[in-house]
Amino acid sequence: MSFDLSSTVRRGHPIAFGIFALFSLIVAIISSAVVASFNNNGQPSDKVVRDSTRFMIFAGWWSFIFSIVYIVLFLTGIGGFLSSIASHAVFIVLTWIFWLAGSAALSSKVGDVNCSDATKAGAVPYVPSCTAVKTIVAFGWIGWIELTFLLCIIIMLGVKAFTGGRGVSDGFA
């Protein structure tokens, strides 16, 4: 028993990648603003927070740009191998690793910090940006969860294409 997923993929791909592009843009903008604040007000003494926030700038802009590229390639039907299942899998796996690394590193330092208590006590060296850093963590994990979902879909489509006689270098629909 087999059913055709092509219409679902045609509708779902731009929606899923559009949502991920939105999360990526949010992370990129907030991370950029936090790093600008760090640059203007002095770097935090915690190098993990400083470096992870900078890494999330990269991960956010990387994800935003490539998500938009994949949406355009998918909607226009051009790109050949660039818009293939294999290409999507490589992009999603690499991006999944980026978001996992950045989100986990930031979470390890700010996960249980209460920003209002830290402001009073002066215990956190990145107090002016504490809530913004926690926002990066939250959106980082949300984006990572969506990437995990997309990775499962790509694997399913790749297996279906491979067992159906098509190659993973073929397009989606």
Side-chain angles (χ1 to χ4, degrees):
M1 177 180 208
S2 177
F3 55 94
D4 186 25
L5 290 174
S6 61
S7 65
T8 305
V9 170
R10 277 193 289 275
R11 274 184 269 128
H13 182 284
I15 294 168
F17 274 77
I19 291 169
F20 183 62
L22 177 64
F23 291 148
S24 301
L25 183 62
I26 291 168
V27 166
I29 289 171
I30 295 172
S31 299
S32 297
V34 168
V35 168
S37 173
F38 288 167
N39 290 341
N40 292 334
N41 301 322
Q43 299 295 321
S45 60
D46 191 327
K47 291 181 181 180
V48 172
V49 172
R50 182 195 68 203
D51 296 343
S52 298
T53 305
R54 288 178 180 195
F55 182 74
M56 290 304 282
I57 292 174
F58 163 74
W61 287 116
W62 157 277
S63 302
F64 178 74
I65 290 168
F66 277 98
S67 293
I68 298 300
V69 167
Y70 275 105
I71 290 170
V72 169
L73 289 174
F74 184 82
L75 292 176
T76 60
I78 59 173
F81 181 75
L82 292 176
S83 60
S84 69
I85 295 171
S87 173
H88 276 75
V90 169
F91 163 71
I92 290 173
V93 166
L94 191 57
T95 305
W96 185 88
I97 292 168
F98 290 162
W99 282 64
L100 176 63
S103 298
L106 272 177
S107 290
S108 71
K109 290 296 183 177
V110 301
D112 61 347
V113 171
N114 183 339
C115 292
S116 60
D117 290 345
T119 303
K120 295 174 191 168
V124 178
Y126 50 90
V127 169
S129 305
C130 182
T131 54
V133 172
K134 289 185 78 88
T135 303
I136 296 167
V137 171
F139 277 101
W141 284 119
I142 291 168
W144 180 82
I145 290 167
E146 184 179 2
L147 281 168
T148 302
F149 173 74
L150 289 174
L151 185 58
C152 291
I153 298 290
I154 292 294
I155 290 170
M156 181 192 70
L157 291 172
V159 167
K160 187 174 180 345
F162 193 70
T163 59
R166 295 177 34 212
V168 292
S169 61
D170 292 341
F172 279 98

